[in-house]
């Protein structure tokens, strides 16, 4: 277990930010609900991102004493150095330093990343939201909706990542079985499909 003292400079900065915004809003009698709403929302975004980064950085920097087996060759890994990574979370992007391990065969392993179920530079919850929105909207609209939620990703990156993450999924396992009632029909359509046509020179 670890604790983060209130004397921590970053924690003090968060508390000072909250106190400042609270003082400004309480001292202004003419502030509108819309302005106050925007101000508090921005404060929550800032403080949430900073607080998450402080807490996660503290946890990630701890060197685990438990033995770690290489996922490729199953030989023991040992920590060699800390390396930084920028992670996209539901609270925004955070920067953390975590240990990188290496086995005798030369395979690198990041135990903390595996424990957190990171999908590359995205948390599992962010990846889940990206896939959900991509399934309900086109990629441009999904990327725009994600930006409203504080997750900045281009539509091309979104398409690439969702395609990458879905490679090992079976459609049959993801879709509940359905049956047709009497006198019902299936209507199937395809979007963005390309077919090769055989041309023999005749129209």
């Amino acid at each position: 277990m670890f604790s983060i003292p209130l004397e921590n400079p970053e924690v003090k900065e968060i508390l000072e930010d909250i106190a400042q915004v609270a003082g400004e809003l309480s001292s202004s009698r003419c502030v509108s609900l819309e302005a106050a709403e925007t101000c508090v929302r921005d404060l929550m975004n800032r403080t949430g991102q900073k607080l998450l980064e402080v807490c996660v950085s503290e946890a990630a920097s701890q060197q685990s004493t438990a033995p770690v087996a290489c996922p490729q060759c199953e030989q023991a890994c040992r920590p060699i150095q800390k390396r930084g990574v920028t992670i996209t979370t539901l609270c925004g992007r955070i920067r953390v330093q975590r240990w990188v391990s290496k086995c005798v065969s030369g395979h690198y392993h990041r135990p903390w990343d595996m424990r957190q179920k990171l999908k590359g530079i995205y948390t599992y919850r962010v990846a889940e939201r990206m896939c959900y929105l991509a399934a309900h909207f086109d990629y441009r609209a999904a990327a725009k909706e994600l930006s409203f939620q504080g997750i900045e990703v281009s539509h091309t990156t979104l398409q690439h990542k969702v395609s990458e993450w879905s490679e090992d999924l079976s459609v049959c396992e993801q879709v509940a079985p359905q049956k047709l009632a009497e006198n019902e029909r299936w209507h199937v359509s395809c979007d963005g499909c390309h077919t090769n046509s055989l041309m023999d020179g005749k129209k």
Side-chain angles (χ1 to χ4, degrees):
M1 297 295 292
F2 65 91
S3 61
I4 301 175
L6 295 179
E7 293 75 18
N8 181 294
E10 293 171 305
V11 173
K12 289 180 66 176
E13 183 180 345
I14 292 172
L15 296 176
E16 291 171 358
D17 194 9
I18 295 174
Q20 180 179 348
V21 172
E24 291 175 354
L25 292 178
S26 60
S27 62
S28 178
R29 296 182 179 180
C30 300
V31 64
S32 66
L33 174 59
E34 181 180 357
E37 179 183 36
T38 301
C39 185
V40 172
R41 182 202 60 194
D42 293 343
L43 171 67
M44 292 174 63
N45 290 341
R46 292 195 307 272
T47 57
Q49 182 179 12
K50 289 179 183 178
L51 184 59
L52 181 63
E53 186 170 77
V54 171
C55 296
V56 172
S57 295
E58 184 69 22
S61 64
Q62 302 295 316
Q63 183 175 335
S64 176
T65 57
V68 177
C70 175
Q72 294 178 261
C73 64
E74 299 185 352
Q75 298 187 76
C77 295
R78 63 180 183 85
I80 54 173
Q81 64 178 328
K82 286 183 182 179
R83 287 183 183 172
V85 60
T86 300
I87 306 169
T88 300
T89 76
L90 293 179
C91 299
R93 289 191 176 97
I94 63 173
R95 181 76 178 174
V96 300
Q97 296 281 336
R98 80 281 199 240
W99 284 93
V100 175
S101 300
K102 184 180 180 182
C103 71
V104 294
S105 297
H107 300 137
Y108 290 92
H109 181 50
R110 298 165 180 80
W112 185 83
D113 296 30
M114 295 293 293
R115 291 197 301 271
Q116 305 308 318
K117 299 180 180 180
L118 294 184
K119 307 291 287 185
I121 61 170
Y122 303 95
T123 65
Y124 180 84
R125 292 302 179 192
V126 169
E128 185 179 54
R129 189 162 298 186
M130 289 166 65
C131 291
Y132 176 83
L133 290 174
H136 289 77
F137 303 97
D138 63 70
Y139 290 111
R140 288 184 183 275
K144 187 174 182 179
E145 178 61 30
L146 286 167
S147 69
F148 292 148
Q149 301 179 22
I151 303 171
E152 298 295 337
V153 57
S154 68
H155 71 278
T156 53
T157 298
L158 178 62
Q159 181 177 7
H160 173 73
K161 289 300 178 183
V162 170
S163 299
E164 176 187 327
W165 296 332
S166 63
E167 285 180 355
D168 298 327
L169 295 178
S170 170
V171 175
C172 295
E173 295 176 356
Q174 303 300 314
V175 179
Q178 302 178 47
K179 293 183 179 180
L180 288 174
E182 188 176 354
N183 297 325
E184 285 188 336
R185 294 181 179 179
W186 287 114
H187 293 273
V188 181
S189 64
C190 296
D191 180 28
C193 293
H194 297 271
T195 60
N196 295 322
S197 60
L198 298 177
M199 302 296 292
D200 58 3
K202 298 179 180 180
K203 295 184 178 180

